[in-house]
Amino acid sequence: MGHSRRQDAGLLVLRAGTGGVLFAHGAQIVFGWFGGPGLAASSVGMERMGFRPGRPSALVAGGGQVVSGALLAAGLATPVAGAVAAGAMAGAAAVHAPAGFFALAGGYEFPAFLGWAAAALGVAGPGRYSADHLTGHRLNRPRLAALAFLGTTVATCAVLRRRAADLHRRDLRQNQDQDRDEERHPHQHPPHQDEGQTS
């Protein structure tokens, strides 16, 4: 059963909003637009977050959001765009996960919502008002959607596992360095209070 025009209009609105936000967020990372940090600062930030090496990681993350956001907004290669955006947002969600769900506390609410919306568009398709429709849906085939989401899932899991291992090694090194510092400079115990002194 084909989509109604109302459903197609709704998909267009959702694509434009989701794709536009993804594009803007990626442009902050890569180009420094919209008050963003730009590639150099983002590369340092990616290193601190455990994504190494930092510059290629920033390029992949930011560039993936720019490209997938533009494609989603246009409705071109929608399954691939949705899968790539969902993978990028999964990485962002992993960074915010220790703070819980809600964005107010620094949690992963925002990237999770963007990722789910992009994934839903990739599964549902772009609707009639899209570049995919104009090109006969050559880049919007069910097999392509399955391959895109499978490939993105495998790649995202590999990146997150590597990040977790790198963070674990970094924590171990920091703990070892702290232990060595304490051995070289043992902490002095504070003087005991006089028996008659009250706290």
Side-chain angles (χ1 to χ4, degrees):
M1 181 181 297
H3 290 293
S4 70
R5 294 185 182 275
R6 180 179 176 183
Q7 289 172 321
D8 289 322
L11 286 170
L12 172 61
V13 171
L14 183 59
R15 284 191 356 254
T18 305
V21 172
L22 283 164
F23 178 89
H25 193 265
Q28 287 183 312
I29 295 172
V30 178
F31 306 120
W33 296 353
F34 312 114
L39 186 58
S42 296
S43 300
V44 176
M46 294 295 279
E47 288 269 357
R48 289 175 179 168
M49 290 183 287
F51 295 101
R52 301 176 58 195
R55 185 179 179 86
S57 297
L59 279 171
V60 169
Q65 292 174 50
V66 167
V67 173
S68 65
L71 290 176
L72 279 177
L76 180 62
T78 306
V80 177
V84 170
M89 291 299 99
V95 173
H96 292 273
F101 176 73
F102 292 104
L104 187 63
Y108 61 93
E109 177 184 5
F110 175 66
F113 176 76
L114 275 181
W116 277 112
L121 286 168
V123 172
R128 183 183 291 119
Y129 309 122
S130 64
D132 275 331
H133 181 75
L134 293 175
T135 58
H137 294 280
R138 294 176 183 175
L139 299 176
N140 183 35
R141 306 290 187 188
R143 181 177 299 179
L144 181 60
L147 289 174
F149 277 96
L150 177 62
T152 300
T153 299
V154 171
T156 301
C157 289
V159 169
L160 293 181
R161 285 186 64 182
R162 179 178 176 181
R163 173 182 179 261
D166 286 345
L167 289 175
H168 181 66
R169 285 193 293 268
R170 186 170 71 183
D171 289 342
L172 286 177
R173 286 195 300 268
Q174 290 176 347
N175 290 336
Q176 290 171 353
D177 291 342
Q178 184 177 0
D179 290 341
R180 283 194 292 267
D181 289 341
E182 289 179 354
E183 290 175 359
R184 293 171 185 162
H185 309 288
H187 295 300
Q188 298 293 329
H189 294 290
H192 292 290
Q193 294 177 338
D194 292 335
E195 293 181 359
Q197 184 177 355
T198 58
S199 57

